[in-house]
Amino acid sequence: MLEQLRYDIITGLLHHKKRIILVIAGVIFIYVFIAFTYRGVINTADFIKLLFRGMPYVTDEKKFVIPNGLWLAINLLLAFHIGMIVNDDLGIYGKLRLMRVGSRVKWWLAKAVLVCISVVAYYTLILAAAFVAGSISLIYRTNVVNMSIIQEITVTECIKSIAMSACVSIMVSMIQAVITLIDYKIGIVFVGMFMALTMYDRTHAFIGNYLMIMRYYQGINNYIINIGVACVVIVSACIAGTIIVKKFAIYIWR
């Protein structure tokens, strides 16, 4: 399994390097656009809050709500990336590796670990690009625009919220990876539906609230419990994928 995982990481990074470049370029472009719009340089902390802030709660008084484009783009781009990782592997180099590994279970477990690593790497890339973009103010010593995206949340709490967002993203990506064993398009549709339910949640109890910094205080308060729930779902998805690849080999050889 370790050999398979090492191969997946190396091949996956090389195979999907264009998407990695797209993420970095996209974040920096957003920063530059905001800097020109506000005629100043937004600091790193506020820029990160801007990227992950999500949407305010939808109340009954609001009949029409415009989704937060940045937050939605981050999650949908991640969904496309995860879907293509598993799908490409099923149709290209994965078949050859499966013959060499000799175990469909080890093959799948390596894919599950790769999905988790990919989500963490995705968030790391976004934060790194945001840090680089925000450091422009230190290099050029220009006026910093204090946008005050979320005044009540500190940097430490912001990091904690992003960690929870990454955990929930891993949960969603693992479910998507299992669905992708059948059809990657269905997996991406699932993520789209999850985003829609999360954006327009009126109950304040949906676990998708933790994908948004803006709902950090107003959302679910049982932080540890919900981390546990996300981990249980991740393990369950991994087990479900194992059952599928063991009993339904047609999905591996499609």
Side-chain angles (χ1 to χ4, degrees), residues 137-238:
S137 60
L138 298 177
I139 296 175
Y140 294 99
R141 296 183 179 181
T142 54
N143 294 327
V144 177
V145 176
N146 185 6
M147 297 180 66
S148 300
I149 304 300
I150 307 174
Q151 296 179 355
E152 70 274 15
I153 189 170
T154 65
V155 175
T156 302
E157 291 169 336
C158 179
I159 294 173
K160 186 178 179 181
S161 177
I162 292 174
M164 183 64 200
S165 298
C167 185
V168 174
S169 291
I170 291 175
M171 179 194 76
V172 176
S173 297
M174 279 301 303
I175 298 175
Q176 180 189 0
V178 173
I179 298 175
T180 301
L181 291 173
I182 302 173
D183 192 320
Y184 83 96
K185 295 179 181 177
I186 299 177
I188 295 177
V189 169
F190 157 75
V191 176
M193 294 176 61
F194 183 85
M195 292 298 105
L197 289 173
T198 300
M199 288 188 297
Y200 297 103
D201 175 35
R202 284 183 168 86
T203 66
H204 302 181
F206 191 58
I207 196 171
N209 283 297
Y210 268 119
L211 285 172
M212 310 184 200
I213 293 179
M214 187 173 285
R215 300 185 182 182
Y216 181 77
Y217 289 117
Q218 303 174 45
I220 310 169
N221 295 320
N222 299 323
Y223 187 84
I224 301 299
I225 292 178
N226 286 281
I227 283 280
V229 170
C231 291
V232 168
V233 175
I234 292 170
V235 174
S236 300
C238 187

Side-chain angles (χ1 to χ4, degrees), residues 32 34 57 128 144 177 202:
V32 173
I34 294 174
Y57 280 114
V144 177
R202 284 183 168 86

Side-chain angles (χ1 to χ4, degrees), residues 38-214:
Y38 288 88
R39 297 182 180 180
V41 179
I42 179 174
N43 62 55
T44 304
D46 275 349
F47 183 51
I48 290 174
K49 292 177 184 179
L50 172 66
L51 290 175
F52 293 99
R53 76 184 187 278
M55 292 178 59
Y57 280 114
V58 180
T59 61
D60 293 333
E61 291 77 18
K62 295 182 178 180
K63 296 181 179 180
F64 181 75
V65 178
I66 300 177
N68 181 276
L70 291 179
W71 175 82
L72 188 60
I74 287 174
N75 287 280
L76 291 181
L77 183 59
L78 176 60
F80 176 76
H81 179 68
I82 294 298
M84 295 309 295
I85 281 181
V86 180
N87 184 71
D88 288 351
D89 193 45
L90 287 172
I92 306 177
Y93 61 86
K95 295 180 180 179
L96 300 176
R97 291 298 302 176
L98 178 59
M99 295 175 61
R100 185 171 180 178
V101 172
S103 171
R104 284 176 286 179
V105 174
K106 291 181 180 179
W107 180 88
W108 162 249
L109 291 178
K111 294 296 168 295
V113 175
L114 179 62
V115 167
C116 296
I117 293 176
S118 297
V119 174
V120 174
Y122 186 84
Y123 274 80
T124 303
L125 279 174
I126 292 177
L127 293 174
F131 178 79
V132 171
S135 298
I136 295 176
S137 60
L138 298 177
I139 296 175
Y140 294 99
R141 296 183 179 181
T142 54
N143 294 327
V144 177
V145 176
N146 185 6
M147 297 180 66
S148 300
I149 304 300
I150 307 174
Q151 296 179 355
E152 70 274 15
I153 189 170
T154 65
V155 175
T156 302
E157 291 169 336
C158 179
I159 294 173
K160 186 178 179 181
S161 177
I162 292 174
M164 183 64 200
S165 298
C167 185
V168 174
S169 291
I170 291 175
M171 179 194 76
V172 176
S173 297
M174 279 301 303
I175 298 175
Q176 180 189 0
V178 173
I179 298 175
T180 301
L181 291 173
I182 302 173
D183 192 320
Y184 83 96
K185 295 179 181 177
I186 299 177
I188 295 177
V189 169
F190 157 75
V191 176
M193 294 176 61
F194 183 85
M195 292 298 105
L197 289 173
T198 300
M199 288 188 297
Y200 297 103
D201 175 35
R202 284 183 168 86
T203 66
H204 302 181
F206 191 58
I207 196 171
N209 283 297
Y210 268 119
L211 285 172
M212 310 184 200
I213 293 179
M214 187 173 285

